[in-house]
Amino acid sequence: MKKRGFIAGCMFLLAVSGCGQAKDAYFTEAFEQSAETETACVYEEEDTTKALPCFVYICGAVAQPGVYELPAKSRVYEAVRMAGGLTAEACEDSVNQAEEVTDGQMIKVLTEQEAAEAQEVEKNETPGGKVNINSADAAELMTIPGIGASKAESILAYRRESGGFASVEEIMNITGIKEGVYSRIKDYITVN
């Protein structure tokens, strides 16, 4: 009796599930339709992105600064060429001439002097706007919350005597800067 019930149950399940063949065919067909739809969407996207011209403004150390129209997918060197080329004072490394232009882009070619000045400013800046206690002058040190003129002078004197700070924690060697002050200023200082 139990055997007949088991067999009847199995037959019922096979009948309901369609022996797996219809389901496999359904999923295969659904997958193929999905793939076709995705492919169609990709082609539609490619069709809608027409290659419109780009307008770029090129200025700085070029012979004829101005706004120029370039075909889509053009490169910076082509914009430089349209602007009459680089001047004698131009720093060729100030722009990536292989970069693809975008519509509305401003391309500024720096002179050698401008590039050197920008590099000097970048060298003096520290990450996150922190004050480098190994290179800052008294005025910069006083921009740190809690550091006045006397502590700034103490920091400069310590730096002269010891050759600089090996870590930000070393600032606690300065008279008047202990755990409390250090905890308030540690996020504003660096030794890079």
Side-chain angles (χ1 to χ4, degrees):
M1 183 70 147
K2 287 184 183 181
K3 215 178 207 185
R4 283 187 194 193
F6 176 73
I7 293 173
C10 288
M11 302 225 1
F12 174 74
L13 287 174
L14 286 173
V16 170
S17 67
C19 298
Q21 294 172 354
K23 216 190 286 186
D24 288 343
Y26 170 76
F27 285 122
T28 302
E29 185 179 324
F31 177 76
E32 289 171 356
Q33 286 177 350
S34 173
E36 288 173 12
T37 304
E38 287 178 18
T39 305
C41 291
V42 170
Y43 290 127
E44 285 176 23
E45 287 177 18
E46 289 176 7
D47 290 340
T48 59
T49 56
K50 300 290 183 211
L52 298 174
C54 294
F55 291 89
V56 296
Y57 173 54
I58 184 162
C59 60
V62 290
Q64 300 165 337
V67 175
Y68 293 92
E69 181 180 351
L70 294 142
K73 306 243 183 231
S74 294
R75 303 292 175 162
V76 170
Y77 80 89
E78 294 170 299
V80 169
R81 189 180 307 145
M82 287 184 86
L86 300 173
T87 64
E89 301 85 28
C91 176
E92 290 183 38
D93 297 340
S94 68
V95 292
N96 178 1
Q97 294 194 43
E99 180 182 6
E100 197 173 285
V101 299
T102 58
D103 188 43
Q105 180 179 7
M106 177 179 156
I107 303 166
K108 181 169 183 172
V109 180
L110 301 177
T111 64
E112 289 288 345
Q113 181 180 352
E114 290 170 332
E117 290 170 1
Q119 190 174 26
E120 187 64 31
V121 167
E122 186 178 307
K123 187 174 88 175
N124 290 334
E125 288 181 356
T126 58
K130 295 183 178 185
V131 175
N132 186 335
I133 58 176
N134 278 330
S135 63
D137 61 17
E140 290 173 306
L141 290 170
M142 288 189 295
T143 64
I144 302 167
I147 302 295
S150 64
K151 285 183 185 162
E153 285 304 319
S154 296
I155 291 169
L156 293 173
Y158 180 86
R159 208 167 64 195
R160 283 190 297 269
E161 293 166 10
S162 67
F165 296 91
S167 67
V168 291
E169 293 84 10
E170 197 176 328
I171 199 165
M172 289 190 285
N173 293 340
I174 305 296
T175 305
I177 301 178
K178 297 300 173 220
E179 287 288 333
V181 174
Y182 173 73
S183 67
R184 289 193 307 270
I185 67 170
K186 68 181 179 183
D187 294 332
Y188 298 98
I189 60 175
T190 187
V191 292
N192 292 339

